Amino acid sequence: GVSVTLVLINTASALTYVRGSDQAATLLLSNRLSVLATAAPHMGLRYRPFEGSTLTATVHSPQRFDIDTEFLNLLSNGNAQKVVRNATHAFMPWQFGLGLAQRIWQRGKDEHLSVSAQLKHTLWSTYVDRMRSQPAGDYAWQDLPSGSLGLHHETSTWSMHAEGLFEPSPVPEQRGRTSYVAGDRIGGALGGALRFRWLGANMELAARSQ
């Protein structure tokens, strides 16, 4: 399967011209705004080599929201000053994932127990902060893998699952003026679903938390 996420690049230009010393009375302002939309593709592959086993692979391309702001000031004496400020928000680098689900127990055709494992590798070394700068030197971020383990029990009428996740922080110890704050992430998920027929239709009532 393939999906896409929109990536927006906004550009705002403010051009000013001051005809005299009284800026409030003589300032002329012209604004230009533009938005460029591109697509960040995400791809996934699922393969079942044999009954009870499933392999998955995913690729997530970088996501970001860019804002470029330009100021151009023209004075009556002919002097011109131009300043550009760039910002990037919600940056997510390349992510690669591998997953495996294996059926370990089965009773009849409808009840079975499966375990799952996932390994994800994120290229945090390419991270760009909101001021569009990259941590470097002793503070460069590391490309570290993260993983999760899960257990899934399913019958024809109900299912339950539990999952645990550990994601080490890619951020080195911060000292002095640096302020990238991040810690290791430990997470979990728990959920269940009940299947039934109602008014001739197949229904499912589910509850999940993480």
Side-chain angles (χ1 to χ4, degrees), residues 9-13 64-71 82-89 128-133:
I9 303 175
N10 294 347
T11 302
S13 299
R64 59 194 297 161
F65 172 44
D66 289 342
I67 301 176
D68 299 327
T69 307
E70 177 182 291
F71 305 91
K82 181 179 179 180
V83 179
V84 179
R85 291 291 182 265
N86 302 316
T88 296
H89 298 273
V128 177
D129 64 19
R130 62 187 181 89
M131 304 305 295
R132 203 172 295 178
S133 61

Side-chain angles (χ1 to χ4, degrees), residues 14 16 71-75 78-83:
T16 66
F71 305 91
L72 179 61
N73 301 312
L74 301 176
L75 305 180
N79 291 332
Q81 295 178 337
K82 181 179 179 180
V83 179

Side-chain angles (χ1 to χ4, degrees), residues 103-192:
R103 186 178 301 171
I104 59 175
W105 177 81
Q106 182 170 351
R107 183 169 62 182
K109 293 183 178 180
D110 298 326
E111 185 175 5
H112 58 84
L113 182 67
S114 302
V115 295
S116 63
Q118 182 183 22
L119 182 67
K120 184 177 71 173
H121 189 71
T122 305
L123 300 185
W124 287 114
S125 61
T126 62
Y127 175 76
V128 177
D129 64 19
R130 62 187 181 89
M131 304 305 295
R132 203 172 295 178
S133 61
Q134 248 186 318
D138 293 338
Y139 303 105
W141 289 21
Q142 306 173 61
D143 297 335
L144 294 176
S146 60
S148 64
L149 293 173
L151 190 65
H152 185 84
H153 190 190
E154 183 172 355
T155 72
S156 59
T157 56
W158 58 269
S159 65
M160 295 186 64
H161 75 272
E163 184 179 18
L165 173 143
F166 177 70
E167 184 172 344
S169 171
V171 182
E173 181 183 356
Q174 302 293 286
R175 302 183 303 273
R177 296 170 56 188
T178 62
S179 60
Y180 292 110
V181 179
D184 297 338
R185 293 178 58 211
I186 299 175
L190 185 66

